[in-house]
Amino acid sequence: MNKTHIIVFALAITSLKINAQTTSDSHQFVIPKKATLLLNPSYDTWSPALKNHELPIPESGIDEKTKKQIKEDLTKRYPRKNSQNNSDKTTMGAPPAMLRNFLANSFNGFVPNDNDVAVSNNGTVCSVTNVNIWTKNLNTNITYGSYSLHSIMLSLGLQNEEFDPKVIYDPETNRFVLVCLNGFTDSTSHIVIGFSQTDSSNGAWNFYSLPGNPLNNTLWTDFPMISLSHNELFLTVNLLYNDSSWQTGFNETLIWQMNKQNGYDGNPLNAQLHNNILHNGAPLRNLCPVKGGSQLYGPQMHFLSNRNFAASNDTIFLVTISDTAAAPGQTLTVIYAVGNTAYHMPVDAIQPSSDKLAVNDARVLGAFEENGKIQFVLNTLDTATGNDAIFHGLMSNISTTPTLITSILGDPVMDLAYPNIAYAGTTANSDSSIISIQQSAVSVYPGSSAALFDGSQFSSLTTVKTGVSYINLLGTLERWGDYTGCQTKYNQPGYVWMNGAYALAGHNTRTWIAELTSSTSASVEDISNNENNAVLYPNPSANRITIEFSNTENQRIDIKVFDVNGKIVKQLFGGFVSIGPNEFSFATNELSKGNYFVKISGNNSGIIATKKFIKD
């Protein structure tokens, strides 16, 4: 195996730090295809799954007593205020609109859910949890159901427990990539990677098994994170010692870099492993790959790291791999920026129960690049309220000397945790994004929500799914993360899909998926100039309106109400509608008196009809 050493200098936003040295090693692997499997739920008749086993908490390398003491000290220093007054926050804009949303993966006893989601340009939703992979076709509204991850492992000859699944969609090849871990010791640890052969996640996949102990040094793999470039799949993982607690077992974070087309074609994977990534002699932990915003980028790939177990810190590290695997002159460099707002170790969240909810640490949980900037999110403590909150960063000048604007999205009553983020811009140079969130409070059952960042401020929260009870699976500190899924719909600017967990009546959890949009306005001319192809009555109306329209093909239909300025007032409907004459009605009780437009559009045919009406 080839081994190289790369030395760079770290930059602060104000000065050059010539004494800060970063080193890394590199190794080459060739990984043969393990099997091709058809992940159609009808073939998974047994759907095996172990139950009630708490999976490992993501490793971070700190003594358990120290971690507990930090959280207790922060709780005492910044007690919860539980104030209904939100005046200490900046003015909040309009929240993202929620469109289609539905129940997804079943619960089979695994803790936590570990939700992640990917959506193809052709309308396939692929959702994963620690139990299974779940598929739905948005165009036909057909739910194909779940395929057990354990069935995949058994087919690959892996007999140990699976955990930490991640899924991602490749808009350039119209394929999915799945990553899942197997085994908790150096002798049993494997990284399973699947590449779909088509745009359907319930079709054929090519599967590979990477070694979870690649350097044969009695370590095993935990907590994967993935991203794609034009040519490659990037995977980061943590290596842990055997028989150690998750707090003390951390050794280092690795980066796997491999040619993605090899995986789609079923050929051996040409993979490069980056290890021993040290900054000032200490390993950079929990490297979060930076995904593309509106599209993939490359050949270089960025990663973010921070001091995730510090009681308080303001530093974010930016790691960059300059070129494709084993390319001549490839470098791994590290620079860093200091934010204007500090992040803190989060405390345990509360719910309507004596059992608290675990919020692991302040590692970066999601990031994307757009317009030469990186946006990212992580857990933090909001010192203004004493509640858990979302720490957001906007990093500019990423190719030279990065500058960093940071802020906190919090709530005066609720704990917000386990965020992810996706690009939601609709115009060039937009910095809009949508953030997926888990939420809970002493009077709010655990569920999920979302917020919009417009480039300068956060919106209020959109509740995606409210829990119907509290979580009680472990009897002490409950698990309700350890991440949420969030992805841009690449061929539909301004639209984002997310999934997260919510609490059921039986005190367990389930996955909920939602479509969100930042597109809150339309051209008044586009609305008012389409008065044909529909009949609307009564008009004016005091209570209820009916609109009759003709649909020219079987397709998804969106029906929205706009005000006279072209601002969306309400998304009334989003779903599959059959060809031919249709009738739709809605109540107008929530509208103030005045003039409005109702607009009907199809995903294939465009605007079907627009009608102006008066609320009396």
Side-chain angles (χ1 to χ4, degrees), residues 159-406:
Q159 302 295 317
N160 299 284
E161 190 168 344
E162 63 285 344
F163 60 103
D164 284 0
K166 291 290 178 73
V167 66
I168 193 169
Y169 172 67
D170 186 342
E172 296 184 349
T173 63
N174 201 23
R175 308 287 183 89
F176 292 96
V177 179
L178 170 70
V179 171
C180 189
L181 304 183
N182 184 269
F184 301 137
T185 66
D186 67 299
S187 60
T188 63
S189 180
H190 294 83
I191 306 168
V192 173
I193 303 179
F195 297 83
S196 72
Q197 292 186 0
T198 70
D199 71 319
S200 177
S201 56
N202 70 319
W205 292 65
N206 299 321
F207 279 96
Y208 299 79
S209 178
L210 275 64
N213 180 24
L215 303 176
N216 296 315
N217 53 357
T218 67
L219 300 170
W220 60 279
T221 286
D222 187 31
F223 197 70
M225 303 188 81
I226 56 178
S227 64
L228 293 165
S229 68
H230 293 310
N231 299 307
E232 294 179 305
L233 167 67
F234 290 83
L235 163 68
T236 66
V237 297
N238 293 334
L239 287 186
L240 312 185
Y241 290 106
N242 287 330
D243 302 321
S244 299
S245 70
W246 68 272
Q247 291 88 359
T248 61
F250 177 83
N251 178 266
E252 65 171 318
T253 297
L254 308 179
I255 301 175
W256 285 93
Q257 179 180 5
M258 62 206 83
N259 185 287
K260 67 184 185 183
Q261 194 60 49
N262 290 341
Y264 298 136
D265 295 339
N267 297 325
L269 291 179
N270 295 317
Q272 182 176 7
L273 176 68
H274 304 268
N275 77 299
N276 202 31
I277 305 171
L278 306 177
H279 180 73
N280 284 344
L284 288 177
R285 296 190 172 108
N286 309 308
L287 292 167
C288 175
V290 178
K291 298 177 180 179
S294 62
Q295 59 186 340
L296 304 185
Y297 65 92
Q300 71 177 9
M301 178 61 62
H302 300 296
F303 308 82
L304 296 181
S305 179
N306 67 343
R307 297 188 172 108
N308 60 296
F309 256 120
S312 177
N313 205 274
D314 54 11
T315 301
I316 302 293
F317 297 93
L318 175 63
V319 178
T320 302
I321 294 177
S322 65
D323 210 339
T324 54
Q330 182 201 62
T331 60
L332 187 152
T333 59
V334 179
I335 53 182
Y336 66 84
V338 176
N340 53 292
T341 301
Y343 53 85
H344 293 74
M345 169 115 58
V347 297
D348 296 328
I350 56 177
Q351 62 171 337
S353 167
S354 59
D355 292 349
K356 292 187 176 181
L357 304 171
V359 184
N360 297 328
D361 56 49
R363 75 186 63 196
V364 179
L365 290 172
F368 71 83
E369 177 183 349
E370 186 73 17
N371 301 318
K373 305 172 186 176
I374 293 174
Q375 290 191 48
F376 63 91
V377 287
L378 50 95
N379 295 321
T380 190
L381 172 68
D382 184 353
T383 58
T385 64
N387 300 333
D388 288 315
I390 309 306
F391 186 88
H392 173 272
L394 178 62
M395 183 181 289
S396 304
N397 304 319
I398 59 177
S399 61
T400 54
T401 304
T403 56
L404 184 58
I405 299 174
T406 55

Side-chain angles (χ1 to χ4, degrees), residues 37 48 148-160 162 182:
L37 302 176
S148 167
L149 294 179
H150 199 64
S151 292
I152 296 174
M153 301 303 158
L154 293 178
S155 298
L156 300 177
L158 303 176
Q159 302 295 317
N160 299 284
E162 63 285 344
N182 184 269

Side-chain angles (χ1 to χ4, degrees), residues 37 111 125 142 158 190 192 198 203 211 279-280 405 427 435 465 493 542 570 574 590 598 607 612:
L37 302 176
V111 180
V125 177
I142 295 176
L158 303 176
H190 294 83
V192 173
T198 70
H279 180 73
N280 284 344
I405 299 174
T427 60
I435 302 168
K465 185 61 177 177
K570 183 66 176 178
E590 296 298 318
V598 57
I607 297 176
K612 184 178 181 179

Side-chain angles (χ1 to χ4, degrees), residues 98-135:
M98 183 169 65
L99 309 178
R100 289 170 287 185
N101 59 101
F102 40 79
L103 188 66
N105 309 61
S106 61
F107 174 80
N108 280 354
F110 282 78
V111 180
N113 279 45
D114 284 352
N115 289 293
D116 202 12
V117 71
V119 185
S120 75
N121 287 343
N122 294 348
T124 295
V125 177
C126 178
S127 175
V128 295
T129 68
N130 269 315
V131 176
N132 51 44
I133 177 172
W134 181 94
T135 301

